[in-house]
Amino acid sequence: MTNVAQGRGRRRVVNTVKDAIRGLRTDLALLNRRISGRLDLRDGDLDLLELIARLGPLGPSALARHAGLHPATMTGVLDRLEKGGWLTRERDPQDRRSVTLRIRRERVGEIFTLYSGMNQALDDICAGYTDEELLVIADFLSRAATAGQKETKSLER
């Protein structure tokens, strides 16, 4: 096989991976939208709750930075999520201006229940791979996520 043919074959494989990622992104966005609707949440609310769960507890300004939202927009979103019982704002007793956001753990089960089918499907898919293969997949996904974070930051301005 010539180098040109090998190059074309590699490009096809890489494009297949990129196409699969785009399809996965779309399918997961649709799943998230459906779950958000079941929970009476707006688009993006699940992402914010995930950021708080993963990075938190944290303050509203830090959450706005991580989410790429304007602080004034964040205030309205947080008001709605707090009113819906999804999070709490805890004031620092030493500095009443300082607020920490926390997920209300008693509501997390509702989210897990709706994602249980997807979690089971992922368990079933993972069962078809060796531990070594799963480590390669996890490394790829982690590196792809890091690249996405880098590109997101490059577009902040």
Side-chain angles (χ1 to χ4, degrees):
M1 182 178 274
T2 68
N3 286 343
V4 172
Q6 288 175 337
R8 284 189 201 129
R10 173 71 178 193
R11 194 168 33 252
R12 268 194 298 274
V13 170
V14 169
N15 285 337
T16 298
V17 170
K18 290 178 181 178
D19 288 345
I21 290 172
R22 281 193 298 276
L24 177 61
R25 191 218 66 79
T26 300
D27 292 337
L28 290 177
L30 294 171
L31 175 63
N32 289 341
R33 187 170 300 131
R34 181 72 46 94
I35 287 174
S36 291
R38 293 266 179 102
L39 297 169
D40 200 25
L41 295 170
R42 295 186 186 175
D43 283 348
D45 287 352
L46 278 175
D47 294 332
L48 292 176
L49 291 170
E50 171 65 19
L51 283 171
I52 296 168
R54 192 165 23 107
L55 304 173
L58 72 165
S61 296
L63 179 60
R65 276 193 308 279
H66 285 290
L69 294 175
H70 191 278
T73 301
M74 184 60 66
T75 299
V77 173
L78 294 176
D79 287 347
R80 188 178 68 253
L81 290 173
E82 184 177 37
K83 183 178 178 186
W86 292 102
L87 62 84
T88 60
R89 289 176 169 129
E90 297 175 1
R91 297 213 178 269
D92 183 335
Q94 306 304 319
D95 179 1
R96 299 281 299 152
R97 295 170 296 170
S98 179
V99 173
T100 301
L101 303 170
R102 294 184 193 279
I103 297 293
R104 296 201 47 201
R105 295 287 174 210
E106 63 270 17
R107 296 295 308 267
V108 172
E110 295 173 56
I111 297 171
F112 283 141
T113 297
L114 291 170
Y115 278 108
S116 65
M118 185 62 183
N119 282 326
Q120 183 60 56
L122 289 173
D123 287 343
D124 294 345
I125 292 166
C126 287
Y129 292 92
T130 66
D131 290 351
E132 293 78 18
E133 290 169 329
L134 289 173
L135 289 171
V136 170
I137 294 167
D139 176 65
F140 173 83
L141 292 172
S142 176
R143 291 167 68 183
T146 298
Q149 292 161 3
K150 181 180 175 186
E151 288 305 306
T152 298
K153 287 182 182 176
S154 77
L155 296 173
E156 282 180 351
R157 296 172 202 223

